[in-house]
Amino acid sequence: MAVAVGRPASDDLRNLSLSGHVGFDSLPDQLVNKSTSQGFCFNILCVGETGIGKSTLMDTLFNTKFESEPATHNEPGVRLKARSYELQESNVHLKLTIVDTVGFGDQINKDDSYKPIVEYIDAQFEAYLQEELKIKRSLFNYHDTRIHACLYFIAPTGHSLKSLDLVTMKKLDSKVNIIPIIAKADTIAKNELHKFKSKIMSELVSNGVQIYQFPTDEETVAEINATMSVHLPFAVVGSTEEVKIGNKMAKARQYPWGVVQVENENHCDFVKLREMLIRVNMEDLREQTHTRHYELYRRCKLEEMGFKDTDPDSKPFSLQETYEAKRNEFLGELQKKEDEMRQMFVMRVKEKEAELKEAEKDLHEKFDHLKRTHQEEKKKVEDKKKELEEELNSFQKKKAAAQLLQSQAQQAGSQQTKKDKDKKNFFFM
Amino acid sequence: MVAMAPGDAADGGWAAVTPEHGSSLEPEECSMEPSAMPEEEMPPSVAPSPAGCQLFGYVGIEAVLDQMKIKTMKTGFEFNIMVVGQSGLGKSTMVNTLFKSKVSRKASQPSQEERIPKTVQLQSVTHVIEEKGVKMKLTVTDTPGFGDQINNENCWDPIIKYINEQYERYLREEILITRKRKIPDTRVHGCVYFIPPTGHWLRPLDLEFMRRLSKIVNVVPVIAKADTLTLEERAEFKQQIQADLKTHAISVYPQEDFDQDPDDRVLNDRIREKIPFAVVGADQEHQVNGKRVLGRKTKWGIIEVENPAHCEFPLLRDLLIRSHLQDLKDITHNVHYESYRVRRLNESNRPALSPLNGLPGKAEGSSDL
């Protein structure tokens, strides 16, 4: 039962004029001050082949040296390396995270090159979504890791986009703000550059790749955004080394045939990129990421999980009820799985038991067989023993008999000789 | 003023690093200082620990502040304020004086008769006011009938219901699958409670109301019609009120738990010493010393509303509008709304069971707590 709230008959809002200075014009400042003390997060993803100049460009853009070793070319797959830095300029604290694609374009089979990138972006969205769906959440001091801008480095071939580029950009355009840039632009001559740029843009359009559009709805920035958009994709040169030009030191690359000045708009579009990325549209990039890309991800994810906004009777679903239903469903599934597993377990146990019984029976049989064999052998042995004993006995008897005979014979012989002797003796007497 | 959930430790990561690196460089200046070694983190899914970096020159990061300002000015602001108090305490006049225009319900509905209603009703009036390019959609919710009955038991219930209803509305919008780009914010950001100038102490009604409501909304108590109190009486009354609030553990705005850093605390302590502000409302101008000022003309003098020596209206206005408006909204969003959300999502019952109509089952759109 809603509380009866009286509202004026006409529901449209009326504009009032103030008769004095109220003071809420300080509101934007209040808001900004709060954000300043909290700090800003900005996350850039650099997608490009190894050695195309991603790290150097980051160093040049943010006027500092982010320590990083160059990657090798023999990575087995694409992996993403994220580093965070804290930058401070006057009273603005920026938590900058630069994500690098290590090993992009190095493999022989590049079919799956885009997958780790998409997974990483989705993982950041997922982390934010999980935090948002928590019951006890703390969104206001959540360290936002979602990618706000993706700088796609196009190799300066001078002809057209590689198919790897097209495929990757197509996969990424609905997830992140893509800003394509032509890297190492000092290898392209001016007239070729113009052709290259228009070829790239027409290829992107014909393949339906949605790159980031600089916003033109705000009068203050519409003009500059419109003029800069014409120069897309920006052809940039990065350098952290300084060369003396005239009487100033400027960032440049020195060649035997001349010096390419990074901040000279005639030489390359680096200044434009810096303007667009940092000085004019940083906030818009963050906003687009949150309101467009993240919302799309969230919608898809929740729909995938089965949540709907309205049921077939077009009455709004309560998320609570859906949660309940989902949870019950989930628990039911778990229960089912548990029962299945239990059944399987019982079955397996039975089988094993049967097997074991079989084995046991076999073993018994073998044992019996062995025993019998053993018995037989034993009997044989006994028999043989008996035989041998008998033989031995008979032999002994024979021996004894023989001996007896011999002794008898001897005795008889000796008796005979004794008799003879006696006879002889008798004769002699 | 940054709102922090009570019990949260200060965010160590931020505070730790920045004091080491001093004030940054002026634009156009090139410095060759060596950069700090950033810490390297390998696994991409783990949030890497940040490292400080020295900038060699002007990058233009601070332009993001202007970008934000432009964006917020374009979208405009919303502010919802509720005034609660017995009739005759000068609520409508006060609101008109605050916003220097006729925003109160009396002014916008002149045809309605003034009669004390039998039950507490809530009436909202919405206006769009603009100042120096900043547009604000201001909603003032009045509560005629509060505390006016003979039996005032539970007169705060409709108010609590209303506040929770706004939270519910916002929550429903927030959990939709397809959300609006900008969720309309009707949550009450501040509730100004008018204390009658008895000069003694808070009445039971005041205590009950403030106790219940300070848990769900920012309550700013003010002493109404303060021109009936002398300065000494005023000071005594304030002390008594502060003691009463402390005894009953009622935390009014600015709440101590939500002070983010020491600067905030110092500032808010100063404000807390002066709470509740003794205010006088007036919407007529008079001539004083050759200037036109807002004030009340009496036989014994003119009470200037904007004179800090006369009453504390400027303090109230500065608190509500000029310095802490965004803070009020932040605390409402980060603390009160979040605790409502936690309560709501922890409910295991279906939300549609309504004891009043006694019908179990699906009842969309209504929310009873």
Side-chain angles (χ1 to χ4, degrees):
Chain A
M1 185 189 73
V3 176
V5 177
R7 287 191 190 270
S10 59
D11 217 11
D12 56 328
L13 309 168
R14 47 185 93 206
N15 284 301
L16 281 187
S17 52
L18 306 169
S19 58
H21 176 68
V22 179
F24 62 85
D25 54 341
S26 64
L27 259 183
D29 290 315
Q30 289 180 35
L31 184 62
V32 163
N33 284 340
K34 181 205 97 167
S35 305
T36 319
S37 57
Q38 263 193 338
F40 296 92
C41 280
F42 196 59
N43 310 317
I44 304 183
L45 169 69
C46 294
V47 182
E49 300 167 353
T50 316
I52 207 169
K54 303 189 283 287
S55 313
T56 317
L57 185 67
M58 286 296 113
D59 285 351
T60 326
L61 256 182
F62 290 101
N63 241 326
T64 177
K65 190 106 182 72
F66 301 121
E67 292 290 329
S68 54
E69 339 78 39
T72 61
H73 282 272
N74 42 9
E75 296 274 341
V78 179
R79 65 183 170 88
L80 283 99
K81 196 160 67 164
R83 285 177 212 260
S84 283
Y85 308 96
E86 278 197 18
L87 306 174
Q88 185 185 355
E89 189 171 82
S90 51
N91 58 344
V92 179
H93 297 272
L94 183 71
K95 224 174 202 169
L96 178 72
T97 304
I98 300 183
V99 186
D100 230 334
T101 51
V102 179
F104 188 78
D106 275 338
Q107 297 78 31
I108 296 179
N109 182 357
K110 295 180 251 200
D111 276 343
D112 294 339
S113 288
Y114 69 89
K115 283 201 187 134
I117 307 178
V118 171
E119 275 167 16
Y120 180 83
I121 297 177
D122 279 346
Q124 309 316 306
F125 282 148
E126 183 64 31
Y128 190 88
L129 182 65
Q130 286 305 320
E131 182 66 30
E132 201 191 10
L133 287 181
K134 268 194 208 164
I135 294 195
K136 229 178 190 284
R137 60 190 190 180
S138 57
L139 275 180
F140 52 90
N141 57 3
Y142 176 79
H143 173 50
D144 195 1
T145 50
R146 301 173 293 183
I147 302 290
H148 300 124
C150 170
L151 291 179
Y152 197 93
F153 288 70
I154 300 173
T157 57
H159 300 305
S160 61
L161 282 176
K162 298 190 190 155
S163 47
L164 171 67
D165 294 339
L166 273 175
V167 164
T168 314
M169 277 205 264
K170 194 88 181 80
K171 292 272 181 216
L172 292 178
D173 69 352
S174 57
K175 296 197 180 283
V176 74
N177 302 315
I178 298 186
I179 303 178
I181 57 180
I182 302 174
K184 297 200 170 174
D186 48 348
T187 53
I188 311 184
K190 206 163 181 139
N191 48 348
E192 291 173 355
L193 185 64
H194 192 68
K195 262 196 298 182
F196 189 32
K197 280 191 186 183
S198 30
K199 189 84 201 312
I200 292 178
M201 291 310 283
S202 65
E203 276 196 338
L204 288 176
V205 166
S206 60
N207 280 288
V209 174
Q210 307 233 0
I211 60 174
Y212 174 69
Q213 301 292 330
F214 300 122
T216 46
D217 47 1
E218 193 71 49
E219 322 90 46
T220 39
V221 296
E223 206 185 300
I224 187 169
N225 278 339
T227 43
M228 294 289 187
S229 301
V230 170
H231 295 273
L232 274 176
F234 296 129
V236 294
V237 175
S239 169
T240 46
E241 278 145 20
E242 304 228 331
V243 173
K244 197 163 169 68
I245 308 209
N247 51 355
K248 275 202 308 179
M249 299 291 283
K251 287 196 282 268
R253 287 175 66 75
Q254 179 141 55
Y255 290 107
W257 48 88
V259 178
V260 179
Q261 294 161 37
V262 167
E263 297 195 338
N264 186 336
E265 298 222 33
N266 289 329
H267 291 197
C268 72
D269 294 332
F270 172 80
V271 174
K272 296 196 181 71
L273 175 67
R274 186 177 58 194
E275 279 292 312
M276 288 290 99
L277 186 63
I278 302 177
R279 295 191 190 168
V280 179
N281 295 313
M282 198 195 263
E283 185 59 28
D284 187 64
L285 284 163
R286 280 151 44 100
E287 196 185 308
Q288 291 282 353
T289 307
H290 181 68
T291 53
R292 205 146 63 95
H293 301 294
Y294 170 70
E295 286 293 317
L296 182 64
Y297 175 82
R298 178 178 173 274
R299 193 160 60 228
C300 294
K301 195 71 201 292
L302 290 180
E303 276 175 2
E304 197 183 288
M305 298 208 301
F307 291 110
K308 290 192 285 286
D309 271 342
T310 58
D311 69 1
D313 304 322
S314 70
K315 281 198 206 148
F317 250 144
S318 148
L319 199 64
Q320 180 75 20
E321 293 170 7
T322 328
Y323 271 139
E324 282 280 321
K326 278 279 139 180
R327 194 175 71 178
N328 289 339
E329 214 183 286
F330 182 63
L331 286 177
E333 268 183 39
L334 277 183
Q335 189 68 27
K336 219 169 63 176
K337 274 208 177 128
E338 198 181 327
D339 289 336
E340 264 181 41
M341 275 175 55
R342 200 167 284 166
Q343 267 192 2
M344 223 165 63
F345 180 69
V346 166
M347 223 167 59
R348 283 247 182 96
V349 165
K350 275 210 184 109
E351 278 177 26
K352 213 52 195 242
E353 251 184 45
E355 268 179 43
L356 282 175
K357 276 215 170 86
E358 280 280 328
E360 201 181 337
K361 218 167 80 179
D362 279 341
L363 271 176
H364 274 300
E365 275 187 24
K366 262 201 180 151
F367 182 64
D368 286 335
H369 180 73
L370 272 173
K371 203 161 152 191
R372 265 183 277 127
T373 328
H374 180 237
Q375 298 272 50
E376 283 176 16
E377 291 269 321
K378 195 165 165 192
K379 204 160 142 242
K380 274 195 193 148
V381 167
E382 296 256 315
D383 286 342
K384 263 241 163 103
K385 192 167 159 195
K386 263 197 201 146
E387 266 184 47
L388 279 172
E389 274 189 6
E390 278 180 16
E391 269 186 34
L392 197 66
N393 279 346
S394 56
F395 179 70
Q396 297 274 41
K397 274 190 197 152
K398 277 194 186 156
K399 186 172 168 193
Q403 273 188 344
L404 194 65
L405 269 174
Q406 207 177 37
S407 66
Q408 274 184 350
Q410 260 189 350
Q411 252 194 351
S414 69
Q415 260 187 356
Q416 189 71 25
T417 43
K418 196 170 176 198
K419 260 186 185 172
D420 280 343
K421 252 186 187 173
D422 281 344
K423 260 182 174 178
K424 265 187 187 169
N425 286 345
F426 194 61
F427 283 135
F428 281 137
M429 293 204 16
Chain B
M1 317 299 152
V2 191
M4 281 274 277
D8 251 87
D11 197 352
W14 273 108
V17 184
T18 40
E20 298 170 5
H21 302 271
S23 59
S24 92
L25 316 161
E26 296 300 298
E28 259 72 77
E29 213 180 297
C30 261
S31 159
M32 282 293 138
E33 292 160 31
S35 66
M37 203 54 107
E39 298 154 26
E40 305 190 354
E41 269 306 313
M42 285 311 119
S45 47
V46 177
S49 52
C53 263
Q54 204 82 13
L55 296 178
F56 292 146
Y58 182 66
V59 178
I61 301 175
E62 59 181 9
V64 72
L65 294 178
D66 289 327
Q67 297 168 26
M68 270 186 82
K69 263 192 219 169
I70 295 175
K71 266 198 194 290
T72 50
M73 282 181 48
K74 184 173 157 221
T75 45
F77 296 88
E78 284 170 315
F79 190 56
N80 309 318
I81 189 172
M82 180 190 274
V83 285
V84 184
Q86 286 176 298
S87 66
L89 281 182
K91 305 189 291 290
S92 309
T93 320
M94 171 58 52
V95 171
N96 287 344
T97 324
L98 257 182
F99 291 101
K100 293 242 170 54
S101 52
K102 306 254 184 264
V103 287
S104 73
R105 114 203 102 86
K106 276 192 207 161
S108 28
Q109 300 156 24
S111 55
Q112 282 195 359
E113 286 180 20
E114 280 311 308
R115 195 181 289 162
I116 297 181
K118 285 262 172 358
T119 57
V120 179
Q121 293 174 352
L122 285 107
Q123 294 181 342
S124 285
V125 181
T126 308
H127 301 278
V128 174
I129 44 182
E130 183 180 331
E131 192 175 59
K132 290 197 187 145
V134 178
K135 280 206 198 48
M136 182 152 91
K137 187 168 147 206
L138 174 72
T139 306
V140 178
T141 310
D142 205 346
T143 55
F146 178 83
D148 287 334
Q149 321 305 329
I150 298 179
N151 181 1
N152 283 315
E153 238 167 56
N154 298 333
C155 63
W156 46 79
D157 274 348
I159 300 176
I160 295 183
K161 264 204 192 110
Y162 174 79
I163 294 177
N164 284 332
E165 220 169 78
Q166 306 317 305
Y167 288 147
E168 178 68 27
R169 209 181 277 187
Y170 192 88
L171 180 65
R172 278 189 189 250
E173 286 286 337
E174 197 193 22
I175 63 181
L176 280 181
I177 306 285
T178 321
R179 306 199 275 212
K180 298 202 184 113
R181 195 162 256 250
K182 186 163 189 288
I183 301 178
D185 192 0
T186 51
R187 304 170 292 188
V188 178
H189 299 130
C191 176
V192 183
Y193 185 72
F194 285 75
I195 301 173
T198 58
H200 299 306
W201 41 74
L202 289 174
R203 302 168 302 158
L205 174 66
D206 303 331
L207 284 170
E208 264 306 306
F209 179 85
M210 281 202 275
R211 188 173 62 87
R212 279 160 200 271
L213 253 78
S214 57
K215 294 189 189 132
I216 57 173
V217 76
N218 298 320
V219 175
V220 182
V222 296
I223 301 175
K225 297 206 164 169
D227 47 339
T228 57
L229 298 170
T230 63
L231 288 181
E232 298 85 21
E233 287 169 353
R234 208 191 272 179
E236 220 183 280
F237 192 27
K238 273 197 202 185
Q239 275 194 350
Q240 192 59 46
I241 293 179
Q242 283 173 6
D244 275 343
L245 290 176
K246 207 164 178 183
T247 334
H248 288 85
I250 302 175
S251 66
V252 294
Y253 185 83
Q255 295 95 334
E256 275 180 350
D257 305 322
F258 308 144
D259 286 338
Q260 178 105 21
D261 46 65
D263 296 333
D264 278 357
R265 185 169 286 271
V266 164
L267 190 63
N268 287 346
D269 276 343
R270 254 185 274 145
I271 297 174
R272 277 188 279 266
E273 277 169 30
K274 303 242 177 71
I275 294 264
F277 296 126
V279 294
V280 178
D283 45 9
Q284 284 180 336
E285 287 193 346
H286 303 277
Q287 195 87 3
V288 170
N289 292 341
K291 282 190 304 177
R292 293 200 63 79
V293 291
L294 273 176
R296 288 172 63 75
K297 185 160 183 193
T298 61
K299 288 219 157 57
W300 47 91
I302 295 185
I303 306 163
E304 293 167 46
V305 165
E306 306 220 348
N307 188 338
H310 289 197
C311 80
E312 292 176 336
F313 173 79
L315 290 178
L316 176 69
R317 182 197 49 209
D318 287 347
L319 177 77
L320 276 186
I321 300 178
R322 290 189 189 169
S323 57
H324 285 65
L325 202 155
Q326 187 60 37
D327 191 39
L328 281 166
K329 289 176 67 167
D330 286 339
I331 294 190
T332 309
H333 180 67
N334 293 333
V335 177
H336 296 297
Y337 169 69
E338 287 295 319
S339 50
Y340 174 82
R341 186 175 171 275
V342 169
R343 280 202 307 267
R344 191 79 173 73
L345 294 184
N346 268 333
E347 277 176 5
S348 48
N349 315 327
R350 296 191 144 216
L353 279 177
S354 154
L356 289 178
N357 40 13
L359 294 170
K362 265 193 201 178
E364 260 68 55
S366 69
S367 66
D368 280 11
L369 280 189

